[in-house]
Amino acid sequence: MTKKYPESKTAQEPATAWVLTDGKAGDETQCLAVAEALGIEAERRRVAPRAPWSWVMPRFGLIDPREAPLRPGSPIAPPFPDLVIASGRRAVSYLARVKRDSFGRTFTVLLKDPRTGAKAADLIWVPEHDSLRGDNVIATASGPHRFSQARLDAARAAPRLEIATLPRPRVAVLIGGDSRNHRFTEEDIARLIAGLAQLAGDGAGLMITASRRTPPALAQALAGLAQNGPHLMWDGRGDNPMLDYLANADAVVVTADSANMVGEALASGRAVHVFHPSGGHRKFDAFLGAVSARNAVHPFPGPLKVTTCEPIDSTPVIAEAIRRRFAVHRAALASG
């Protein structure tokens, strides 16, 4: 049976929502984080445009005709929801199509610069280091994430036994891996492991998580380090314990290949130590510069800082901006 959404034009809070992406994990996670901060259980909708349409997106506002709203299996099939939160280059044109085909009823939110201007959505979020600005653009130092302060507080209040028994300081170690702009060379791996070994030698308890992008050589070195002391390392089975690690850390070490991961670390309210593998990108450097100005990040390897600081958490800020704009949008619909 086709789901039918409420059609009220007067509700001041969105009741239904989609998260619209091409399935890229980082984009989808950020969208889900905003939906959760709004208190909405959003449907995941994933676009998969074929060539040549995917080649020109988001220019020209075209979508793959196979995925048009009235085609079987369309990711944007009606009924349309109150709110769509989208992210990623391939989702931009689909978001505009929803806006058009819902006759303006659906409120559209886009995370990150669409490269087509500020008219791409009703509300756009960008990191502060991006240049896009406008009346409907909100810019914050870090991006949205799913580690809310309430979730962190709950995990801190009732730590897992294996975490509670670790020696202090406890250091959460968040490891990414090779990406389009970063590579972990043999020298990088040796430098990172040496820095972590120094922390362990000084008595710290390490709580390590790696990712699917982590090079095998680095993963093996991390596992060896974890086995040689009172440390923890997630083996990839079950849920990632990153939330529990961050909540109960006295300090954080994170690799500089993922802005999302650094943003999650900044929400902990602990000093964040950033390790730079080979490569880099000017936008990532600008992001780190913005948060460094708040004295929230420190170099790694380097002296371990265990001071607390005000969490940098942009997710509730973005959610509140959506609430305000959505209320104005619905009031305008109601007045005709």
Side-chain angles (χ1 to χ4, degrees), residues 177-189 191 256-257 275-281:
D178 294 338
S179 67
R180 182 169 56 183
N181 299 306
H182 294 87
R183 288 290 182 273
F184 283 79
T185 66
E186 291 184 6
E187 291 77 12
D188 294 330
I189 293 173
R191 184 163 52 92
D257 53 277
F275 175 86
H276 291 265
S278 295
H281 192 277

Side-chain angles (χ1 to χ4, degrees), residues 12 16 32 62 87 118 145 174 178-179 197-198 270-271 283 307:
Q12 298 300 296
T16 56
L32 289 169
L62 300 175
S87 185
H145 56 82
L174 316 183
D178 294 338
S179 67
Q198 179 66 53
R270 302 296 185 263
K283 282 195 171 185
T307 54

Side-chain angles (χ1 to χ4, degrees), residues 93-333:
S93 298
Y94 290 83
L95 187 66
R97 183 63 175 267
V98 170
K99 186 68 176 179
R100 189 194 82 180
D101 285 17
S102 70
F103 300 101
R105 176 186 174 275
T106 297
F107 188 79
T108 57
V109 176
L110 188 65
L111 305 183
K112 296 187 293 192
D113 190 344
R115 303 301 180 191
T116 58
K119 294 182 179 180
D122 293 312
L123 182 67
I124 299 173
W125 166 81
V126 295
E128 285 179 355
H129 57 264
D130 273 5
S131 59
L132 183 69
R133 294 294 184 271
D135 291 340
N136 65 323
V137 178
I138 178 174
T140 62
S142 62
H145 56 82
R146 303 180 78 175
F147 294 167
S148 68
Q149 295 306 304
R151 293 184 67 198
L152 287 165
D153 288 344
R156 194 172 290 130
R160 299 183 182 189
L161 178 61
E162 65 269 24
I163 293 176
T165 55
L166 285 177
R168 306 191 84 145
R170 302 179 193 135
V171 181
V173 182
L174 316 183
I175 305 296
D178 294 338
S179 67
R180 182 169 56 183
N181 299 306
H182 294 87
R183 288 290 182 273
F184 283 79
T185 66
E186 291 184 6
E187 291 77 12
D188 294 330
I189 293 173
R191 184 163 52 92
L192 175 56
I193 295 299
L196 294 174
Q198 179 66 53
L199 296 183
D202 291 340
L206 307 181
M207 303 176 289
I208 306 169
T209 69
S211 78
R212 288 171 294 188
R213 295 184 294 107
T214 305
L218 175 54
Q220 292 170 8
L222 290 167
L225 179 63
Q227 292 169 2
N228 288 326
H231 311 298
L232 300 175
M233 181 172 175
W234 181 50
D235 62 7
R237 293 180 293 183
D239 294 334
N240 191 327
M242 186 188 297
L243 171 72
D244 296 277
Y245 289 179
L246 285 174
N248 293 284
D250 299 302
V252 183
V253 173
V254 59
T255 57
D257 53 277
S258 168
N260 286 355
M261 199 160 59
V262 175
E264 290 164 344
L266 290 169
S268 69
R270 302 296 185 263
V272 176
H273 304 71
V274 180
F275 175 86
H276 291 265
S278 295
H281 192 277
R282 61 178 179 78
K283 282 195 171 185
F284 194 90
D285 292 342
F287 159 62
L288 284 182
V291 294
S292 294
R294 293 169 165 80
N295 198 34
V297 299
H298 311 279
F300 187 81
L304 185 70
K305 298 182 182 296
V306 294
T307 54
T308 59
C309 56
E310 187 68 25
I312 297 178
D313 188 356
S314 300
T315 313
V317 177
I318 298 168
E320 183 56 31
I322 293 172
R323 286 192 183 97
R324 291 197 306 268
R325 295 276 182 161
F326 182 83
V328 172
H329 166 75
R330 274 305 175 87
L333 287 179

Side-chain angles (χ1 to χ4, degrees), residues 3-74:
K3 180 180 290 187
K4 183 170 178 58
Y5 295 137
E7 293 296 327
S8 169
K9 293 183 179 181
T10 58
Q12 298 300 296
E13 289 276 344
T16 56
W18 292 350
V19 159
L20 186 66
T21 71
D22 65 2
K24 186 182 297 181
D27 290 340
E28 193 168 80
T29 295
Q30 287 194 326
C31 293
L32 289 169
V34 174
E36 289 169 359
L38 288 166
I40 298 174
E41 186 174 347
E43 289 187 50
R44 303 188 198 200
R45 299 288 185 105
R46 293 175 176 173
V47 304
R50 303 164 296 174
W53 296 278
S54 61
W55 295 343
V56 297
M57 288 180 172
R59 293 176 293 164
F60 311 124
L62 300 175
I63 69 171
D64 186 337
R66 181 187 62 177
E67 297 189 320
L70 298 182
R71 294 293 297 272
S74 169

